[in-house]
Amino acid sequence: MVPDVSTGDRTRGLLSYLFGPGRRNEHTDPHIVAAFAMPGLTDPGRVALEEHQDALSELAHYLDQPVELRRQRTGKKVPQHVWHCPVRTAPGDRYLTDREWAEVARRVVHATGIAPHGDDAGCRWIPVRHAEDHIHILATSVREDGRRPRNKRDGQRAQAECRKIEAELGLRRLNSGDGTAPKTPTGAEVAKAERQGRKTTARQWLREHAYTAAAAARDEQEYFAVLTALGIKVQTRLGPQTGETTGYSLAAPDDTDDKGKPIFYAGSSLAPDLSLNRLRERFAPATAGTAVTATGRANIRDTQGNAWRRAERKLRTTYGFLLGSEGGQDRESFDRQVQAQAAAFAELLHNTAATAPKGARAELHAAAVAFDRANRSAIRAEHQSAYALRQAGRELIRAVGGEDGSAVASLLATAVYVLIALDHWHQQRGHEQQAAAAQQSLTHLQNAYQHTARPALDRRAKRAPGPEETRRLAAVVQAAVPEQAGRILADPAWPALATTLAQAESAGIPPRHALTAAAGQRELDSADRPAEVLIWRLRNTTAEQTNARTHAATSRTRQATTISPSPTTTPSAIQRPADTMRRRR
């Protein structure tokens, strides 16, 4: 059950809408289901058509009487005196009768302080029902005694009461809001998108692309440049004294008003964490302890796929941090660091969606969009603590590819565990909206992993060693991880694991040691496919070992070609044997 509190200043106008046909003729049988004083109250939905307009005016005048008296007494117009709260059931909920909706309205106006039970001097209010799944509660926010109601935090109070009503009426239990959700599109924005045949409104489209640009950009200027390259109009706000940029607004291509002017949305109105100040916190340069050296960046790009392996390593570090305790630090500091890891993980998802194999991009994009909501909480992130993961994620934008898909599948496998850990953290902290969004993101991420991993695992399985060698490796599994050996060998991915163990052995890593180390990175009891988990861990270890040896060999070659001649070895000395040979002829 979803309440949505807002205010306005036109009682008659809102009544006309509530008792009218709706913007798309969606209103059916508008009528009042309860009121502050039902006897003698005219219901515009139950009068003859020729009396309808007069009934609307009469009802508006009746509801506005306390407002008018206050205006006469103070000599000032009462601002925003129309209180409006639609309450809607969730899709799939059972049908509620008028009597049940009347009780819902009474409880909401009581909980929000508009008209407490037993308070005869409360505000005047009515709920109008014009559809099966919702009502609109309209109240004029001046009490009978001339005072304004004590309805501070009315939106949160309405949410809390609706959670209780859901439980009592057997409705779908929704998650409470926490003030971190982005502004929802208005009815006019939705109608415009429908007329233009678009699935999302301009506001939602801009929000998604702003997150994508922020994930790829390294600084504020690059962020605006990426947006401009996408065809988005950027309008910056300058400070009157300093001339520095203090804010920005975005407009989607071809989204104009009736005068043909672009419709701009401020970054903060797209989402709280897309305000310029929040973005600058993310774009802040690295501190001494988090800087990535030029040599390190060069090594990252040495071979195709290394960017994916680096990102996967950083994800493993993040996963270990999330599984650990606060480590002696206070809970607030720990949570700020976790929130920073979540923000960096959100960026990594967007960059992965942009560069992963095409078949997995749709699911990854859906996972990234869903996690954008999971990433927004009331906790302020300590972004510097996640600088390494953020940089590794940005390297993916510049990666050439994911080798044969194994590097991408490995990263996605680790990303699944990181997402599960972040979901668990949100649940522990009571972040209902974020936990629900994390679950949605997890479903899409797992689908993307399956799409990417299956071909890679099939290729490994086809290259499995012969029967005798496979039996030897199975004995190694039983000796290295006896408590999990049965599940590992029964896993359909065992042939692919046998190939991976053989490759590790060829790289100079004893299979038993490799298995013991891989199993120790994280317990396998909760893994549905333990062999798959071990494959990606062993593959990464083998790739790192091979990569390290390649770098060492390259370094030795470079050193050999740059050695200076010995001071005692002169050009004339080198030429003497040849001179002697010529003399002997």
Side-chain angles (χ1 to χ4, degrees), residues 408-431:
V408 181
S410 177
L411 180 143
L412 296 183
T414 305
V416 165
Y417 289 114
V418 170
L419 186 46
I420 291 172
L422 288 170
D423 174 38
H424 182 64
W425 175 72
H426 281 309
Q427 292 183 31
Q428 285 184 321
R429 298 302 187 262
H431 301 164

Side-chain angles (χ1 to χ4, degrees), residues 229-486:
L230 293 172
I232 296 172
K233 297 179 177 63
V234 179
Q235 188 177 76
T236 56
R237 184 175 66 251
L238 303 179
Q241 296 179 343
T242 63
E244 296 180 353
T245 303
T246 59
Y248 74 100
S249 299
L250 305 178
D254 302 325
D255 184 34
T256 59
D257 58 18
D258 53 2
K259 296 180 181 179
K261 295 182 179 180
I263 300 176
F264 283 93
Y265 298 87
S268 58
S269 73
L270 298 177
D273 53 345
L274 286 175
S275 70
L276 188 58
N277 287 337
R278 289 294 185 90
L279 288 174
R280 283 172 172 169
E281 291 175 3
R282 293 159 64 176
F283 293 145
T287 59
T290 58
V292 179
T293 64
T295 302
R297 284 193 295 270
N299 290 340
I300 293 169
R301 303 189 186 98
D302 275 348
T303 60
Q304 185 182 43
N306 271 7
W308 294 93
R309 287 199 292 272
R310 171 178 164 79
E312 196 278 335
R313 286 198 301 272
K314 294 305 178 184
L315 276 178
R316 272 185 279 154
T317 302
T318 295
Y319 182 64
F321 169 74
L322 294 174
L323 288 187
S325 62
E326 283 83 348
Q329 60 184 317
D330 63 275
R331 176 166 168 164
E332 180 180 354
S333 176
F334 177 75
D335 284 350
R336 286 169 63 88
Q337 293 181 47
V338 174
Q339 183 61 54
Q341 297 293 336
F345 181 73
E347 294 182 5
L348 182 140
L349 283 181
H350 277 285
N351 292 339
T352 301
T355 52
K358 291 183 179 180
R361 289 183 185 179
E363 288 286 0
L364 285 171
H365 177 71
V369 171
F371 192 77
D372 285 336
R373 178 66 188 97
N375 176 44
R376 289 190 298 271
S377 79
I379 297 173
R380 200 68 171 266
E382 187 180 304
H383 287 295
Q384 286 292 329
S385 63
Y387 185 82
L389 179 60
R390 174 168 288 106
Q391 289 301 100
R394 287 172 181 162
E395 288 292 339
L396 294 179
I397 290 294
R398 297 156 184 85
V400 177
E403 298 175 336
D404 60 356
S406 293
V408 181
S410 177
L411 180 143
L412 296 183
T414 305
V416 165
Y417 289 114
V418 170
L419 186 46
I420 291 172
L422 288 170
D423 174 38
H424 182 64
W425 175 72
H426 281 309
Q427 292 183 31
Q428 285 184 321
R429 298 302 187 262
H431 301 164
E432 296 180 354
Q433 295 283 351
Q434 290 79 3
Q439 285 291 327
Q440 294 175 4
S441 180
L442 180 61
T443 299
H444 293 295
L445 185 59
Q446 288 173 326
N447 291 340
Y449 164 74
Q450 291 296 333
H451 188 281
T452 307
R454 291 275 74 82
L457 292 172
D458 289 344
R459 284 192 294 271
R460 286 177 177 268
K462 290 177 181 178
R463 300 177 62 198
E468 183 176 346
E469 188 67 12
T470 300
R471 284 193 294 271
R472 180 181 71 84
L473 294 173
V476 172
V477 172
Q478 291 172 336
V481 282
E483 67 284 355
Q484 296 291 341

